[in-house]
Amino acid sequence: MPFLIVDQLSKKYPNDNTNALKGISFSMLKGEIVAVVGPSGCGKSTLLNLIEYLDLPTSGKILVNGKPVGDYGPAHTFRSKMVGFVFQYHHMVSGMTLAENVAAPLIAQGVGKLERRRRALEHLENVGLGHRAHFLPNLVSGGERQRAAVARALITSPSIILADEPTGNLDSSAGEAVFKLMLAQSRLNGSTVIIATHNLAIAAMADRIIQMRDGELISPV
Amino acid sequence: MIFIRNILRHKLRSIMTILGAAVGIAIYVAVVAITNNLEKETKQVIDDYNADITVQGKGAPSPLHSRIKSEDIDALKAMLGNQVDPLVVGALRENWNSYVMLLGVPLSLLPRFGLLEGSAPLPGGRDVMIGTILAQELGLKAGGSIPLGGGSAIVTGIYSMGNRLVDGGVVADIAEAQRLLGKEGQINIALVRIRNKGEVKNLIRDINRRFPRLNALPTADFVGNIRLFRTIGTFTKSVAIICFFGSCLVVTNTLLMALSERTREVGILMAVGWRPWLVIRMLLAESVTLCLCGAVAGNGMAILILKFLNNSKAVGFGWIPVTISPATFLGSLGVTILLALIALIWPATIVYKLSPVEALRHE
Ligand SMILES: Nc1ncnc2c1ncn2[C@@H]1O[C@H](COP(=O)(O)OP(=O)(O)O)[C@@H](O)[C@H]1O
Ligand SMILES: [Mg+2]
């Protein structure tokens, strides 16, 4: 049975007259890694946001492990329990050190301070950033921020990892390094991964590629 | 700590906010200190006489405004015996101070003012004694003279009651006080002492029935019933509340600015699973920290305000407290927490309504 089912998903933004997503359907097995590719504006971010329950679809539904996402409780509970997210511009909270940023998802889970610290350091070590743990984000390089963002997405060992152009503004070798890191960790946890990317070299490392254009899937899925 | 870093990130703005909070808190503290002190010291003065019943003119807003005619006093004395002590109190406007408190007491009460030097004025004479605070302010010693009521009076002695209100004033024989204040033939209040305490209730009823122009009260209730204090209290509290809301606006504005700068970061935190309360808690820590700094600065400012008022000629000597009681300080911390919470209401509703997607798109 598929772990993630996206069924007839449509999204129309209020101040937009065309649909950003036009009835998309596909499904994924547990532990599968899928790359979503397509030109800018085709709806990749919209799709990922809906799967993360950051936003609500206009119609259609998303099932995780057989249950609609809405059945997991409030949106923040679903996000906290099920999903790790890597943003396009490796968003960090500027007032928090890398360690605090990485530990932020654990605060949502009510994990105690010492345990948070321990796990954050461990995950920063995993991405080679142990020595940067107590730096504020604006004092480290873009690549380091992005690796910290990966550590943050992985710290809760989520079932689903969503990465929205995680290598977007890194040069290709740094981008690939980050991506490989993410893949290795996800395979270890058995996470289901969706990555939106322009980068075909990176897409080629996924188990499967889904192509999108104008809010629709154009490749067989 | 993120909230400390956030506060330090905009130092000037944080300082302005702390000052904004401090002004409201300072006014609150000063007002509470003055009104509480005024009531406390007035109560002390009255309690000092050990009177059981206090009688004043009906409808008088304060002892200063109360009038009792001498014929009523005589009738009261005839009814109750010799336990009735009349008191005259008023304020003189002098060019060295526009609010000099003058107390006229009967001969029998003069020795009760703890004399530090000199002696009590003789009855029927024109001499006075003055409190230590006043003596200090004017640099006077026993034997000196003080300009009073257009003439000048010999200071026979200097007393200390341990009460700033009284120690900042002048005490004279009752007849001389009546003359200086232009209150011949009338007094302000009468203090009645009863040997048999069980009779107090009945006597109060009898006095009020027999003298429709008078109002007798148990002494314990007297200060709480001074209408002027209640009016002053209401007025000053209103001023303090207005200042408090001014402070609220300042703190709210800062929190709104902080929130708007960090909207995208709030989006990130929501995307990693934070519920709105966790975001609000972060703002709460900022709000409380700013306001507590404001409380410390505000209490400091309040002491400066009190010292300034105490030194200013227009308000008279002694009745402005120059310290803040622990209770007032603790009360100000309560007000501070309230300020921090009220200032958070608007930002908190914004956080609750924020859509994570919109927040993440925020520039
Ligand atoms: N919050 C929004 N409000 C209105 N239109 C949006 C919003 N987000 C995305 N869009 C529009 O939806 C379409 C898909 O955008 P997006 O999902 O960001 O594409 P991609 O991530 O593939 O570049 C675009 O036309 C974009 O302009
Ligand atoms: Mg996008």
Side-chain angles (χ1 to χ4, degrees):
Chain A
M1 191 184 110
F3 181 67
L4 175 76
I5 299 173
V6 171
D7 185 20
Q8 289 296 318
L9 204 60
S10 293
K11 175 71 182 177
K12 185 181 179 311
Y13 288 106
N15 46 1
D16 207 354
N17 38 24
T18 61
N19 278 13
L21 290 183
K22 299 166 181 162
I24 284 185
S25 302
F26 67 93
S27 61
M28 289 175 69
L29 297 172
K30 183 145 185 59
E32 199 178 4
I33 294 171
V34 164
V36 178
V37 297
S40 175
C42 71
K44 301 184 296 293
S45 297
T46 303
L47 175 63
L48 264 55
N49 287 345
L50 291 177
I51 296 174
E52 210 210 339
Y53 207 169
L54 274 180
D55 206 356
L56 294 173
T58 313
S59 66
K61 59 186 182 227
I62 300 162
L63 304 174
V64 172
N65 215 0
K67 264 203 311 191
V69 290
D71 286 7
Y72 284 81
H76 58 79
T77 307
F78 174 78
R79 294 197 285 264
S80 171
K81 275 196 193 153
M82 304 298 291
V83 193
F85 204 101
V86 184
F87 304 93
Q88 182 162 5
Y89 297 109
H90 40 75
H91 291 319
M92 291 273 129
V93 177
S94 57
M96 292 178 168
T97 62
L98 292 192
E100 287 167 341
N101 267 285
V102 170
L106 297 179
I107 292 183
Q109 296 189 344
V111 176
K113 194 169 185 154
L114 289 178
E115 173 72 0
R116 286 203 306 264
R117 218 181 140 83
R118 191 187 64 69
R119 278 164 70 181
L121 289 178
E122 182 188 309
H123 277 82
L124 280 169
E125 295 285 354
N126 287 349
V127 297
L129 282 177
H131 61 300
R132 291 278 190 258
H134 304 298
F135 281 55
L136 289 173
N138 60 346
L139 297 178
V140 304
S141 72
E144 287 173 321
R145 277 203 289 274
Q146 191 59 320
R147 278 188 277 154
V150 168
R152 181 173 63 193
L154 291 165
I155 195 167
T156 56
S157 310
S159 309
I160 303 171
I161 292 175
L162 303 170
D164 192 355
E165 305 194 33
T167 59
N169 50 359
L170 298 180
D171 65 61
S172 60
S173 66
E176 274 174 43
V178 168
F179 185 63
K180 279 183 179 149
L181 199 75
M182 203 175 83
L183 282 195
Q185 298 267 321
S186 322
R187 294 230 193 263
L188 226 70
N189 294 339
S191 309
T192 304
V193 181
I194 307 179
I195 171 163
T197 183
H198 286 303
N199 186 327
L200 293 179
I202 280 174
M205 284 187 264
D207 299 338
R208 185 153 57 109
I209 296 179
I210 293 178
Q211 272 194 293
M212 283 181 71
R213 186 179 300 151
D214 293 336
E216 289 174 306
L217 302 189
I218 56 167
S219 63
V221 279
Chain B
M1 295 308 258
I2 178 167
F3 66 94
I4 304 275
R5 280 186 217 118
N6 284 335
I7 287 171
L8 293 179
R9 204 184 314 178
H10 296 276
K11 290 197 186 60
L12 187 63
R13 188 171 80 193
S14 298
I15 289 172
M16 297 309 274
T17 311
I18 288 169
L19 288 180
V23 169
I25 292 165
I27 290 174
Y28 167 84
V29 170
V31 156
V32 169
I34 291 173
T35 44
N36 282 0
N37 183 69
L38 196 57
E39 288 200 17
K40 193 187 87 200
E41 303 222 320
T42 308
K43 195 163 158 41
Q44 255 179 26
V45 176
I46 303 286
D47 286 352
D48 256 13
Y49 293 104
N50 276 324
D52 303 298
I53 303 175
T54 306
V55 184
Q56 64 174 341
K58 198 163 208 110
S62 85
L64 284 169
H65 300 86
S66 160
R67 272 160 216 273
I68 307 180
K69 296 222 164 90
S70 39
E71 64 226 50
D72 284 340
I73 286 295
D74 293 341
L76 203 57
K77 274 187 177 157
M79 172 182 166
L80 297 168
N82 241 344
Q83 321 134 314
V84 181
D85 283 320
L87 276 187
V88 171
V89 59
L92 287 174
R93 198 184 174 82
E94 301 294 338
N95 54 23
W96 46 272
N97 189 288
S98 44
Y99 207 86
V100 185
M101 195 184 76
L102 173 62
L103 210 54
V105 302
L107 182 62
S108 59
L109 287 179
L110 281 175
R112 296 179 65 107
F113 293 80
L115 271 175
L116 294 180
E117 53 176 289
S119 55
L122 295 173
R126 301 215 149 172
D127 302 339
V128 298
M129 57 183 186
I130 65 176
T132 44
I133 294 179
L134 183 53
Q136 244 166 37
E137 292 287 342
L138 299 180
L140 276 175
K141 299 212 174 304
S145 79
I146 183 170
L148 218 54
S152 95
I154 304 288
V155 176
T156 59
I158 291 167
Y159 63 84
S160 167
M161 289 271 279
N163 176 303
R164 293 174 57 81
L165 192 58
V166 178
D167 290 348
V170 177
V171 171
D173 173 51
I174 198 155
E176 174 62 1
Q178 283 172 329
R179 188 188 70 81
L180 284 167
L181 293 166
K183 292 187 175 183
E184 283 94 346
Q186 54 173 312
I187 64 148
N188 291 81
I189 58 176
L191 300 167
V192 181
R193 244 169 298 170
I194 311 290
R195 220 160 285 124
N196 180 356
K197 305 298 176 200
E199 285 177 12
V200 170
K201 250 196 175 138
N202 287 340
L203 278 176
I204 288 176
R205 210 190 44 219
D206 290 350
I207 296 171
N208 284 331
R209 198 175 292 160
R210 258 189 65 182
F211 300 93
R213 281 183 299 201
L214 300 186
N215 179 21
L217 279 171
T219 297
D221 297 350
F222 178 66
V223 174
N225 274 295
I226 297 180
R227 233 175 50 219
L228 183 67
F229 285 180
R230 290 205 302 251
T231 310
I232 292 177
T234 310
F235 173 73
T236 50
K237 268 175 209 129
S238 317
V239 172
I241 286 172
I242 291 167
C243 292
F244 175 80
F245 280 105
S247 294
C248 277
L249 290 183
V250 172
V251 179
T252 299
N253 181 50
T254 299
L255 294 177
L256 286 176
M257 278 165 80
L259 183 58
S260 128
E261 282 161 11
R262 282 185 248 141
T263 300
R264 212 184 55 192
E265 301 190 352
V266 171
I268 298 170
L269 292 170
M270 290 180 142
V272 304
W274 281 34
R275 52 190 186 281
W277 160 242
L278 289 174
V279 176
I280 291 166
R281 200 176 64 178
M282 196 167 70
L283 288 174
L284 176 66
E286 264 173 76
S287 178
V288 168
T289 308
L290 287 170
C291 291
L292 281 181
C293 291
V296 172
N299 275 279
M301 273 189 206
I303 291 180
L304 292 182
I305 293 175
L306 293 176
K307 289 223 160 104
F308 171 79
L309 286 178
N310 185 57
N311 287 337
S312 102
K313 239 171 69 168
V315 296
F317 296 129
W319 66 277
I320 302 279
V322 288
T323 54
I324 291 165
S325 71
T328 306
F329 177 70
L330 287 180
S332 80
L333 294 189
V335 169
T336 303
I337 299 299
L338 197 64
L339 173 65
L341 291 177
I342 291 180
L344 196 62
I345 292 175
W346 190 353
T349 50
I350 292 181
V351 171
Y352 263 105
K353 285 192 195 146
L354 198 61
S355 126
V357 176
E358 291 305 319
L360 283 166
R361 283 165 64 95
H362 199 268
E363 287 314 306

